[in-house]
Amino acid sequence: MLYSHGNAADLGQMYELFLELSVHLHVNLMGYDYSGYGRSSGKPSEQNTYADIEAAYRCLEETYGVHQEDVILYGQSVGSGPTLDLATRLPRLRAVVLHSPILSGLRVMYPVKHTYWFDIYKNIDKIPLVNCPVLVIHGTADEVVDCSHGKRLWELCKQKYEPLWLEKGNHCNLELFPDYIKHLKKFISAVEKIQITNGSSDNKELSQSSRRSSECLDLPRPSTDQREKPRPSTDQREKPRPSTDQREKPRPSTDQREKARSSTDRKENARSSTDRKEKARTSTDRKDKSRKSVDRTEKARNSTDQQEKPRKSFDRFGDMIRSVGLCNIDCFKPSASNT
């Protein structure tokens, strides 16, 4: 583990924490001071911190024979800047831990939405270029670097690991929470199982899981082609239509029935009219009314006769509605039986 500490710290202050992390996490840990920090010479600057972490990593490779696939970069606060800068240049890196990281130097002071040329530690632009798993740890009560910095960096990671948001944790006390060391142990045990190839930093387990997920998404596609086949069955269902034409033939029988019904209606009307005439005659004989009253009664008879005629047309219209309704019901029966 190559540890890049925060701004207000040096190796003398970090020594005890380095020992505890090495013992509890079962890792070899290397720390370094930035230029101008502690007993290091030079002046502190952004570019010098990049050169400092590069020199520390060269020492791991040349002096201790460590390969990049066996290295975990740990960056705290400002240390997240040189950590991510080096991580973008190590394609086979094992993992990265970001402890209370910053989006950029300017974003700590102002909530800017764009990156300017004079900004420093542009982590927001570098995090998408990191190919290894990234763990983000941040306190929700951080007053120096708001927790939104860590959450945004986690969202931009390619290989996200379960983050650790410590409730009521501030900028300098996250190591005191029990979940801190527990989550780090869980993360290191998980990345130890990752197999890194020489060609890329993507591990086989994640690549296989991504392939399986994509294959699962592609599997339902052939089924859609199979579902398109039953469409010709709709053409077969259209065949029963000629049967409706055959069933239209019995309609003349209904017309004959209408004629018979109309003839019977006329006979009944004639009978009713004769009965009414007989009643009128008896009324004239009994009352001995004048010829004027007889004429009025005849006019009334004529009006009643005219009123009887619409009844015939109404009856015929009702029969037509009934016949059409029955025909429509019969026409739907074959289609229902076929389905």
Side-chain angles (χ1 to χ4, degrees):
M1 178 177 288
L2 182 57
Y3 197 107
S4 301
H5 59 73
N7 183 38
D10 56 27
L11 291 180
Q13 296 175 350
M14 302 297 296
Y15 180 73
E16 294 183 359
L17 176 63
F18 288 170
L19 290 178
E20 292 181 0
L21 291 177
S22 179
V23 172
H24 289 89
L25 300 179
H26 303 287
V27 297
N28 297 317
L29 192 146
M30 181 179 183
Y32 66 99
D33 266 337
Y34 310 121
S35 299
Y37 281 69
R39 304 185 68 175
S40 296
S41 61
K43 295 181 180 180
S45 68
E46 179 187 8
Q47 296 302 323
N48 284 342
T49 57
Y50 296 157
D52 295 335
I53 192 173
E54 180 72 21
Y57 177 73
R58 290 277 182 88
C59 179
L60 289 176
E61 280 189 330
E62 297 174 1
T63 304
Y64 298 99
V66 177
H67 301 286
Q68 60 176 289
E69 55 267 21
D70 298 326
V71 175
I72 298 176
L73 297 182
Y74 192 113
Q76 178 185 5
S77 187
V78 174
S80 61
T83 296
L84 287 177
D85 184 77
L86 180 61
T88 58
R89 293 181 279 115
L90 299 178
R92 292 183 287 110
L93 187 65
R94 174 67 60 174
V96 171
V97 179
L98 298 179
H99 180 141
S100 302
I102 63 175
L103 288 172
S104 68
L106 186 60
R107 286 177 173 84
V108 175
M109 298 180 292
Y110 305 101
V112 295
K113 296 182 179 180
H114 304 283
T115 301
Y116 297 94
W117 64 270
F118 54 85
D119 200 355
I120 62 173
Y121 298 123
K122 304 178 183 69
N123 295 334
I124 188 173
D125 299 329
K126 295 178 182 179
I127 189 66
L129 304 177
V130 178
N131 296 321
C132 62
V134 178
L135 167 63
V136 180
I137 303 173
H138 214 120
T140 59
D142 194 330
E143 296 179 355
V144 179
V145 180
D146 191 76
C147 187
S148 60
H149 287 243
K151 292 182 178 179
R152 181 56 179 163
L153 289 174
W154 180 80
E155 292 174 355
L156 297 174
C157 292
K158 280 185 179 179
Q159 297 188 27
K160 300 180 179 64
Y161 187 82
E162 181 184 358
L164 178 61
W165 314 123
L166 292 173
E167 296 293 334
K168 299 181 180 180
N170 57 38
H171 195 68
C172 301
N173 68 343
L174 301 186
E175 298 87 351
L176 303 179
F177 289 81
D179 291 339
Y180 168 80
I181 195 67
K182 291 180 181 179
H183 205 78
L184 273 176
K185 286 183 179 180
K186 180 180 177 183
F187 175 68
I188 292 176
S189 62
V191 298
E192 283 180 348
K193 300 177 182 178
I194 296 175
Q195 296 180 358
I196 301 176
T197 60
N198 294 326
S200 62
S201 61
D202 294 336
N203 59 81
K204 293 182 180 180
E205 295 179 357
L206 293 178
S207 61
Q208 289 177 356
S209 62
S210 62
R211 289 177 182 176
R212 291 174 183 174
S213 62
S214 61
E215 290 174 356
C216 293
L217 293 175
D218 293 334
L219 287 176
R221 292 180 181 176
S223 62
T224 55
D225 298 334
Q226 295 177 358
R227 291 178 183 176
E228 297 296 330
K229 294 181 180 180
R231 290 184 178 179
S233 63
T234 56
D235 299 335
Q236 296 177 358
R237 292 179 181 177
E238 297 296 330
K239 293 181 180 180
R241 290 183 179 179
S243 63
T244 57
D245 299 335
Q246 296 177 359
R247 295 188 178 181
E248 295 295 331
K249 294 180 180 180
R251 288 184 179 178
S253 62
T254 58
D255 297 336
Q256 294 177 359
R257 292 178 181 176
E258 292 294 332
K259 292 180 181 180
R261 291 177 181 176
S262 61
S263 61
T264 53
D265 293 337
R266 291 177 182 175
K267 292 179 181 180
E268 290 177 355
N269 292 330
R271 292 175 183 176
S272 61
S273 61
T274 52
D275 294 335
R276 290 177 180 176
K277 289 179 181 179
E278 290 178 357
K279 292 179 180 179
R281 290 177 184 175
T282 54
S283 61
T284 52
D285 294 336
R286 292 177 181 177
K287 295 181 179 180
D288 293 329
K289 293 184 179 180
S290 60
R291 292 179 180 179
K292 294 180 180 180
S293 63
V294 174
D295 295 334
R296 292 178 181 175
T297 55
E298 289 177 355
K299 291 179 180 180
R301 292 172 189 172
N302 294 330
S303 63
T304 54
D305 295 336
Q306 292 178 358
Q307 292 177 353
E308 293 297 328
K309 292 180 180 179
R311 292 181 180 177
K312 299 176 183 179
S313 62
F314 180 80
D315 295 335
R316 291 179 182 177
F317 184 72
D319 293 335
M320 290 175 64
I321 293 175
R322 293 175 184 174
S323 63
V324 172
L326 292 174
C327 180
N328 289 335
I329 294 173
D330 294 336
C331 290
F332 280 112
K333 288 181 179 179
S335 61
S337 61
N338 290 330
T339 58

